[in-house]
């Protein structure tokens, strides 16, 4: 029997042994989905705290409840380790390691490279290797394939190679790993088919495409689409300010059109480790082909400038009350990059706070999920959200609209509010104190 038929047989009988490299927001939910289908999954992570947590049945990922992980670990379906020994015994390996940017905003694919170099030591005929980390078109063929083929095995013939982008949206209650359609593209048709067959055991809808490059590009189109549209709506917010219009009213009005319009919201900037970063992977790749990704660069400039817009607005509001930023007490509500998560990676709140501190403001913050944040001037500890603290502030800036907050109450006790998220849209009393982005 040829290698592909053998592997398909192991997938159908759930005898295929699965490895997931990187047990973060992407890897751990994937490991859980496969284990739920009865596969034995070994998770590999260089962070030994995560490894021992998983082996004790404890989840470190908000979207994977401990009560779901624990029985899978107890039944021996999920095991974690902090080394790569034994990857040669696995039938399918999913790589879910980070893909950050360097300080120069160039892709940092060193995590992928180091992971593949480890896998290559034990790669054998009949294995399926799938990259899930977001990256530029060409990574699977140019970076991964040669390293796996170094000992003479051939992708598509001896072993199988594919790229399948991860689309998980942390905190999304409707769409998780199981019901978010999965795009998959392999080095050859066999590679695509085998990877698709494995995903179909755990994921409702699988969408095969003709190459790894197409699959890589699909992910970057999705996130560039978001970054560019957020950039557009942020610019519309700036235009509305000049025209003395309420951008939120304008968006609500446009959204009554049942076709051809999709809502995006302006705000203090973009955060998280996908939307601000991923488009730069594409832009970098195009630079190597002597092409400038203009929409990406423009959106990045507009979105990256929004914290400065917030600070300018804060300065004007204080100025109108004969106050300066220097010496004013400014209370920032919410530091996470989006509502109801604690994630502060790339959060625009940190930029807003740093900019205000540089101008001499006395900064305080509150966030239900973060007791402290690291700013340029050092660690800043959370202030209690009390009537007295709201009253004492010269200005309260709503940066993240966590649903825990009672904005009626916030407005009632604050002297002056700058709302960057339209969180106070429904607040009735005290509207004169509220100023929106
Ligand atoms: N988090 C999301 O919402 C999301 C969504 C879609 C795609 N992605 C992409 O998925 C990839 C992973 O993202 P994430 O959010 O899961 O990251 P993460 O930081 O939560 O997890 C990555 C894990 O990989 C581990 N790791 C690092 N180097 C390793 C190595 N050499 N070997 C083994 N483990 C290693 C880290 O310790 C960490 O636990 C990235 O490319 C990201 O862009 C993330």
């Amino acid at each position: 029997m040829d290698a592909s038929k053998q592997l398909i047989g192991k997938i159908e009988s759930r005898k295929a042994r699965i490895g997931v490299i990187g047990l973060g927001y992407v890897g751990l939910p994937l490991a859980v989905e496969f284990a739920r289908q009865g596969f034995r999954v070994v998770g590999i992570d260089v962070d030994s705290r995560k490894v021992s947590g998983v082996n004790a049945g404890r989840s470190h990922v908000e979207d994977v409840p401990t009560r779901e992980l624990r029985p899978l670990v107890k039944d021996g379906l999920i095991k974690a380790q902090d080394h790569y020994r034994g990857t040669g015994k696995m039938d399918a390996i999913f790589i879910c390691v980070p893909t950050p940017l360097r300080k120069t905003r160039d892709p940092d694919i060193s995590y992928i490279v180091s992971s593949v170099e480890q896998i290559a030591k034990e790669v054998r005929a009949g294995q399926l290797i799938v990259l899930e980390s977001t990256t530029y078109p060409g990574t699977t063929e140019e970076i991964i394939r040669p390293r796996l083929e170094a000992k003479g095995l051939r992708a598509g013939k001896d072993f199988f190679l594919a790229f399948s982008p991860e689309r998980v949206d942390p905190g999304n209650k409707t769409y998780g790993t199981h019901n978010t359609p999965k795009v998959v593209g392999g080095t050859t048709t066999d590679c695509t088919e085998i990877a698709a067959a494995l995903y179909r055991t755990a994921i409702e809808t699988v969408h095969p495409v003709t190459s790894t490059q197409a699959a890589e590009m699909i992910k970057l189109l999705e996130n560039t689409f978001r970054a560019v549209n957020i950039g557009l709506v942020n610019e519309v917010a700036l235009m509305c300010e000049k025209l003395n219009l309420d951008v939120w009213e304008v968006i609500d009005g446009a959204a009554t059109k049942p076709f051809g319009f999709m809502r995006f919201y302006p705000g203090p900037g973009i955060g998280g480790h996908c939307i601000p970063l991923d488009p730069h992977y594409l832009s970098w790749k195009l630079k190597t082909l002597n092409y400038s990704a203009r929409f990406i660069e423009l959106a990045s400039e507009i979105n990256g400038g929004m914290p400065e817009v917030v600070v300018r607005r804060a300065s004007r509001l204080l100025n109108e009350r004969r106050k300066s930023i220097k010496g004013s007490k400014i209370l920032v509500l919410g530091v996470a990059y989006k509502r109801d998560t604690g994630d502060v990676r790339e959060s625009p709140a940190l930029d807003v706070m740093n900019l205000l501190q540089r101008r001499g403001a006395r900064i305080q913050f509150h966030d239900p999920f973060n007791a402290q944040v690291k700013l340029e001037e050092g660690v800043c500890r959370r202030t209690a959200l009390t009537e007295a603290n709201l009253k004492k502030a010269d200005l309260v800036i709503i940066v993240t609209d966590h649903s825990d907050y009672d904005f009626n109450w916030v407005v009632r006790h604050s002297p002056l509010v700058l709302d960057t998220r339209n969180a106070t849209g429904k607040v009735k009393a005290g509207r004169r104190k509220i100023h929106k982005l």
Side-chain angles (χ1 to χ4, degrees):
M1 208 194 308
D2 73 13
S4 63
K5 287 211 183 89
Q6 247 178 31
L7 188 47
I8 296 272
K10 282 187 181 174
I11 291 168
E12 283 167 356
S13 64
R14 304 294 186 267
K15 290 216 170 80
R17 285 152 304 178
I18 291 177
V20 174
I21 317 285
L23 292 173
Y25 289 94
V26 167
L28 191 59
L30 186 70
V32 165
E33 282 311 327
F34 282 126
R36 269 204 198 116
Q37 303 311 317
F39 290 103
R40 285 185 188 275
V41 183
V42 174
I44 297 181
D45 202 294
V46 288
D47 183 340
S48 45
R49 274 173 318 169
K50 285 186 186 167
V51 166
S52 46
V54 169
N55 284 333
R58 270 194 321 273
S59 170
H60 51 271
V61 171
E62 286 158 26
D63 289 341
V64 176
T66 287
R67 71 182 134 69
E68 280 178 31
L69 178 64
R70 188 167 294 143
L72 298 170
V73 173
K74 223 171 127 222
D75 291 349
L77 291 167
I78 294 188
K79 238 174 54 187
Q81 62 184 49
D82 59 5
H83 57 83
Y84 280 75
R85 287 190 299 281
T87 52
K89 294 200 190 96
M90 296 167 183
D91 298 296
I93 300 176
F94 295 85
I95 304 170
C96 312
V97 296
T99 43
L101 290 177
R102 298 189 188 282
K103 280 213 160 61
T104 51
R105 303 202 82 69
D106 288 348
D108 175 1
I109 55 163
S110 60
Y111 297 86
I112 296 181
V113 170
S114 102
S115 178
V116 171
E117 280 171 354
Q118 295 291 330
I119 295 167
K121 289 184 190 164
E122 295 188 30
V123 68
R124 62 161 171 86
Q127 274 186 319
L128 166 68
I129 291 153
V130 185
L131 177 64
E132 287 222 354
S133 303
T134 306
T135 183
Y136 59 82
T139 308
T140 309
E141 297 305 318
E142 294 157 18
I143 304 293
I144 299 192
R145 185 174 171 179
R147 285 172 170 80
L148 294 176
E149 289 184 336
K151 285 193 206 146
L153 295 176
R154 289 285 156 262
K157 191 166 155 274
D158 305 309
F159 70 96
F160 307 99
L161 181 61
F163 179 83
S164 178
E166 178 50 61
R167 293 164 152 172
V168 71
D169 176 21
N172 191 320
K173 301 269 181 282
T174 314
Y175 290 105
T177 306
H178 178 68
N179 63 350
T180 305
K182 199 93 176 87
V183 165
V184 53
T187 296
T188 62
T189 316
D190 266 3
C191 296
T192 309
E193 275 173 14
I194 291 165
L198 183 46
Y199 279 124
R200 277 196 196 101
T201 64
I203 291 164
E204 280 174 12
T205 312
V206 175
H207 178 81
V209 295
T210 57
S211 63
T212 56
Q213 292 94 331
E216 289 160 338
M217 185 66 176
I218 286 166
K219 173 71 187 176
L220 294 183
L221 167 60
E222 291 165 10
N223 282 359
T224 301
F225 174 82
R226 286 191 64 75
V228 167
N229 279 288
I230 295 168
L232 171 65
V233 84
N234 276 331
E235 185 163 54
V236 170
L238 301 177
M239 294 177 191
C240 283
E241 192 202 358
K242 296 249 176 242
L243 295 165
N244 210 12
L245 290 169
D246 180 345
V247 64
W248 302 95
E249 184 188 6
V250 170
I251 295 167
D252 282 347
T256 59
K257 187 180 177 192
F259 47 86
F261 182 82
M262 188 185 273
R263 258 177 205 275
F264 281 87
Y265 298 105
I270 50 176
H273 85 323
C274 290
I275 309 298
L277 273 57
D278 298 352
H280 291 285
Y281 269 71
L282 186 53
S283 162
W284 174 86
K285 176 70 186 179
L286 269 303
K287 258 186 223 143
T288 68
L289 302 170
N290 209 15
Y291 183 90
S292 158
R294 290 159 289 172
F295 272 111
I296 294 176
E297 299 304 331
L298 183 58
S300 167
E301 187 188 319
I302 294 172
N303 293 332
M306 290 312 285
E308 187 68 57
V309 170
V310 174
V311 171
R312 273 208 308 274
R313 200 69 62 88
S315 166
R316 207 175 65 209
L317 289 174
L318 289 166
N319 197 40
E320 285 163 5
R321 281 151 192 82
R322 298 193 170 78
K323 291 179 183 172
S324 61
I325 286 197
K326 193 175 174 86
S328 283
K329 194 178 256 184
I330 300 180
L331 174 56
V332 168
L333 289 190
V335 290
Y337 82 92
K338 72 171 179 181
R339 178 197 300 171
D340 299 343
T341 157
D343 197 344
V344 294
R345 286 178 296 179
E346 309 285 323
S347 175
L350 304 179
D351 294 329
V352 168
M353 289 163 84
N354 281 324
L355 288 168
L356 288 168
Q357 266 190 345
R358 275 191 226 155
R359 286 168 174 72
R362 289 182 293 151
I363 284 293
Q364 296 183 321
F365 87 92
H366 177 273
D367 186 279
F369 302 94
N370 289 284
Q372 58 180 51
V373 287
K374 226 171 124 214
L375 299 178
E376 283 167 4
E377 291 186 9
V379 170
C380 181
R381 282 179 220 295
R382 174 168 62 195
T383 297
L385 188 56
T386 62
E387 284 181 26
N389 283 339
L390 287 170
K391 281 193 178 116
K392 273 191 264 168
D394 295 295
L395 172 66
V396 173
I397 308 183
I398 301 168
V399 176
T400 314
D401 50 345
H402 290 302
S403 31
D404 269 11
Y405 289 142
D406 175 351
F407 291 107
N408 278 298
W409 177 83
V410 168
V411 171
R412 197 171 333 127
H413 300 292
S414 306
L416 180 64
V417 177
L418 173 56
D419 177 4
T420 67
R421 301 272 188 183
N422 199 27
T424 57
K426 293 203 173 78
V427 170
K428 292 270 179 298
R431 291 221 60 87
R432 271 183 303 136
K433 293 191 259 181
I434 305 172
H435 298 266
K436 288 195 275 177
L437 189 71

